[in-house]
Amino acid sequence: MYYLNCFFIYSFIGFVYENIIALVRGKKMGSGMLYGPYTPIYGLGALLILIISKFIFNILSLNKILEIIIIVFSLTIILTFLEWIGGILIEKIFHVVFWDYSNFKFHIGKYIALEVSLIWALGSLIVIYVLQPLINKFISFIPNYVTYILLIIFIIDLVATFSSKKVHR
């Protein structure tokens, strides 16, 4: 339940983040590819951050600076790969391009760019050292039935989106 709740919380945070970026850029706000107020790629990314950082913290006995360097480097690569795969899958399944970094100076194709990868590096540190300690303070108070309801709503949203083969922006 812990990781499922983390997935939903970070998916919602991703939804809010994406809409703030859209608002700042003067673009239309939207929920991304699903109907609900969540962006699952952020939930999945956060889960990877939590699981990989926990693994590195528990397995490696390194000094703090070296530990942080390894975590940031490995998570930057993994999250960049996740973004690349996500972009490709969304385009292949829904025939929509949600982001295109072709105009960035250090892009590799349209789905990844060094500039954005650096945001994932910073985001990893924010998740590990700022957000997760705050989330851990209240996540245990979320009743299981709330998590089950969120899961059912999320699955219905996925089925509705995939059956219509239409994204909702």
Side-chain angles (χ1 to χ4, degrees):
M1 288 304 212
Y2 174 80
Y3 286 111
L4 192 54
N5 283 323
C6 286
F7 172 80
F8 287 127
I9 290 168
Y10 284 107
S11 293
F12 178 73
I13 290 170
F15 168 82
V16 171
Y17 170 76
E18 288 289 334
N19 279 285
I20 289 171
I21 297 296
L23 186 64
V24 168
R25 291 182 172 171
K27 295 185 177 183
K28 180 184 170 200
M29 292 173 41
S31 64
M33 59 181 272
L34 301 174
Y35 291 97
Y38 33 75
T39 307
I41 194 81
Y42 286 93
L44 184 58
L47 289 181
L48 288 171
I49 290 169
L50 297 175
I51 292 166
I52 291 168
S53 63
K54 182 178 180 180
F55 173 79
I56 291 172
F57 288 145
N58 290 338
I59 299 300
L60 302 177
S61 296
L62 304 170
N63 71 44
K64 196 69 164 171
I65 300 296
L66 190 55
E67 196 172 74
I68 290 171
I69 291 169
I70 291 171
I71 286 173
V72 168
F73 184 74
S74 60
L75 286 172
T76 301
I77 292 169
I78 291 167
L79 295 174
T80 299
F81 182 74
L82 177 65
E83 183 174 38
W84 178 61
I85 293 297
I88 290 170
L89 289 176
I90 290 168
E91 184 176 5
K92 296 288 183 204
I93 295 169
F94 298 106
H95 310 290
V96 172
V97 175
F98 267 19
W99 62 91
D100 186 346
Y101 300 139
S102 297
N103 61 338
F104 284 58
K105 184 174 183 175
F106 300 105
H107 71 91
I108 302 172
K110 61 183 165 186
Y111 294 123
I112 57 175
L114 178 61
E115 298 94 316
V116 179
S117 294
L118 295 176
I119 292 171
W120 302 142
L122 178 62
S124 297
L125 292 173
I126 291 170
V127 166
I128 294 167
Y129 294 106
V130 178
L131 293 177
Q132 197 57 35
L134 295 172
I135 289 170
N136 280 339
K137 290 182 181 178
F138 77 87
I139 202 166
S140 63
F141 296 108
I142 300 172
N144 286 348
Y145 73 88
V146 170
T147 307
Y148 290 127
I149 290 169
L150 290 173
L151 181 60
I152 290 167
I153 292 169
F154 182 73
I155 290 170
I156 291 169
D157 196 335
L158 284 174
V159 170
T161 299
F162 279 91
S163 65
S164 71
K165 289 231 177 189
K166 190 188 302 182
V167 295
H168 308 281
R169 274 199 122 168

